[in-house]
DNA sequence: CAGCATCCGGAATGATACTG
DNA sequence: CAGTATCATTCCGGATGCTG
């Protein structure tokens, strides 16, 4: 074996690895997918929270801020009477939707196989 | 907004979410990708460790065991003089390579954009 | 409504050393 | 070579309460 192709390695700090880090945080990909698939790439905090069963206000805010820092979305503060903040996908965020969608679809397509290995109620993390 | 498509939701315990959990563990996807791209789907422990810069023996073993439990690969113990253990991708594991490859490729394709937001030496996680 | 400040239990990762 | 056993550390993610 050892058919070293082009550069199929995993040096630390390589781009692919930074992509994986985006998935390391529990909600990132779900927020991204929801923002795109259910809200056309733009939504407010409350709406997002309602679209994501189980997420807490804290984690939602934290995730959104991290994603903003990662350049996946932008944050727009509107009026100030009742704070209205909107989050919108950036071009990078928009492109990142694609891989996420693929993962999502793969999950659905392989739901059966995944069910078999389901015996992990108190799953990791 | 609110263009609720087919079933683009994230109910807890849905298949897509269980897929994401596979990425929650740091090394899973890297082991999978390495096993496929560099070792044709079958390799021994030591070889894998040498192919994954930075992984510890402990984490490698743990990751491999988890992946075995998840049905992504099988474990074959050969002789016993010097223990020789081989890990081989299962059909499910083989199918899972596809999405992982896509993420990998996406990272390479968007390396520039990812580099811009790189100012995170002591990155998250 | 949006967000921040804290406190906290537990999980994930890692360094090191030992066994067969 | 493969794996296990400790010990230490990081920090994720949930709960709760407060601010404007």
């Amino acid at each position: 074996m050892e058919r070293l192709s082009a550069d199929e390695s995993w040096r630390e700090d390589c781009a692919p690895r930074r992509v994986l880090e985006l998935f390391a945080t529990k909600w990132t990909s779900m927020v991204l997918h929801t923002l795109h698939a259910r809200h056309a790439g733009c939504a407010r905090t409350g709406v997002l929270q309602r679209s994501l069963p189980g997420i807490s206000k804290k984690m939602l805010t934290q995730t959104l801020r991290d994603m903003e820092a990662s350049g996946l979305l932008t944050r727009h503060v509107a009026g100030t009477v009742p704070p209205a903040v909107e989050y919108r996908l950036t071009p990078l965020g928009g492109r990142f939707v694609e891989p996420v969608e693929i993962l999502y679809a793969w999950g659905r397509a392989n739901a059966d196989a995944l069910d078999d290995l389901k015996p992990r109620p108190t799953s990791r993390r």
Side-chain angles (χ1 to χ4, degrees), chain A residues 55 65 91 103 105-106:
Chain A
I55 195 173
R65 293 305 178 90
L103 284 188
W106 193 90

Side-chain angles (χ1 to χ4, degrees), chain A residues 29-44 48 51-52 64 67 72-74 86-90 97:
Chain A
S29 49
M30 286 186 264
V31 167
L32 195 84
H33 175 272
T34 298
L35 197 50
H36 169 265
R38 299 185 50 146
H39 307 290
C42 178
R44 292 178 50 178
L48 282 174
S51 293
L52 292 165
L64 288 169
M67 293 174 70
L72 294 177
L73 48 78
T74 54
E86 260 190 3
Y87 293 93
R88 189 182 301 271
L89 287 181
T90 62
V97 166

Side-chain angles (χ1 to χ4, degrees), chain A residues 19-105:
Chain A
V19 172
L20 290 184
E21 283 173 18
L22 294 178
F23 286 94
T25 309
K26 184 175 179 179
W27 300 99
T28 304
S29 49
M30 286 186 264
V31 167
L32 195 84
H33 175 272
T34 298
L35 197 50
H36 169 265
R38 299 185 50 146
H39 307 290
C42 178
R44 292 178 50 178
T45 316
V47 179
L48 282 174
Q49 181 160 24
R50 259 167 270 124
S51 293
L52 292 165
I55 195 173
S56 67
K57 206 183 307 180
K58 172 191 172 182
M59 289 317 296
L60 178 57
T61 300
Q62 187 176 304
T63 302
L64 288 169
R65 293 305 178 90
D66 284 351
M67 293 174 70
E68 184 190 11
S70 296
L72 294 177
L73 48 78
T74 54
R75 183 168 175 275
H76 297 286
V77 183
T80 38
V81 187
V85 184
E86 260 190 3
Y87 293 93
R88 189 182 301 271
L89 287 181
T90 62
L92 178 64
R95 286 200 300 279
F96 193 45
V97 166
E98 202 177 319
V100 173
E101 293 280 347
I102 291 177
L103 284 188
Y104 192 95

